[in-house]
Amino acid sequence: MTTSTFTVKPADLTAHVESSFLGQVVGCGEEMLSTGSVSGGGAPEPWGRVCPLPVALGRALSALAHSEPFRDVALTLRSISRVRRFGEMLVGEPLTAIATVRFRSGRVPNATHVTLAVEVHRESQRGRVGATALSFEVGLELRSLAGASTETRIAGGAAAA
């Protein structure tokens, strides 16, 4: 599956900086702010600032979650592993994520566990896929939204009877 083109916006960096700062104030911050992630004053430039890895991962996962195959399911993130960065991603840089199913299991009733190999590519050049900027594996639990609403109606109808 391939996502539509997405970018990391200056607002994503601001949210990352604020949540990182709040985590440090509370005393449970896991990373230190880098000067590359702090936005300067004035109007944001469309390109140029380096995107921190957690922000890039979050935007890629968000783009995947909003892609067509996942529109009718509830997603639960279970794991992220094998993260490899192949260069710096910049704020405003057009990116596309390509996900391939590596493992699928339906052992749990009403849920499916899927492991996806995800590659985030830079903007394509002349019809080709652009250079890989980031790759990772993600474990997701999928539950059908249609099945959940049917179960709710059945349970509600049984309670009324």
Side-chain angles (χ1 to χ4, degrees):
M1 113 186 53
T2 304
T3 67
S4 56
T5 302
F6 63 93
T7 60
V8 175
K9 300 177 181 98
D12 298 327
L13 282 182
T14 302
H16 172 71
V17 169
E18 288 173 357
S19 66
S20 296
F21 178 73
L22 180 61
Q24 289 177 6
V25 169
V26 173
C28 61
E30 294 181 11
E31 64 180 71
M32 298 298 295
L33 295 175
S34 68
T35 55
S37 65
V38 177
S39 59
E45 296 181 23
W47 287 60
R49 287 182 285 175
V50 174
C51 174
L53 183 60
V55 177
L57 285 169
R59 289 298 294 140
L61 290 171
S62 176
L64 283 171
H66 290 93
S67 63
E68 183 63 35
F70 294 133
R71 290 212 173 120
D72 295 329
V73 298
L75 295 173
T76 304
L77 179 64
R78 294 295 179 201
S79 65
I80 297 176
S81 63
R82 299 183 186 197
V83 178
R84 294 182 60 201
R85 196 173 196 162
F86 298 102
E88 301 294 341
M89 287 174 283
L90 303 177
V91 174
E93 180 178 16
L95 302 166
T96 303
I98 300 172
T100 306
V101 176
R102 293 189 42 93
F103 176 77
R104 181 176 173 272
S105 172
R107 292 184 194 175
V108 178
N110 303 322
T112 301
H113 180 81
V114 176
T115 301
L116 300 174
V118 181
E119 290 184 348
V120 178
H121 294 271
R122 300 182 191 291
E123 187 174 37
S124 61
Q125 303 286 329
R126 298 181 197 140
R128 295 186 191 163
V129 174
T132 303
L134 176 69
S135 72
F136 60 95
E137 287 187 0
V138 61
L140 300 172
E141 182 178 293
L142 312 174
R143 293 187 183 268
S144 173
L145 292 176
S149 63
T150 303
E151 290 171 13
T152 303
R153 278 186 265 134
I154 292 171

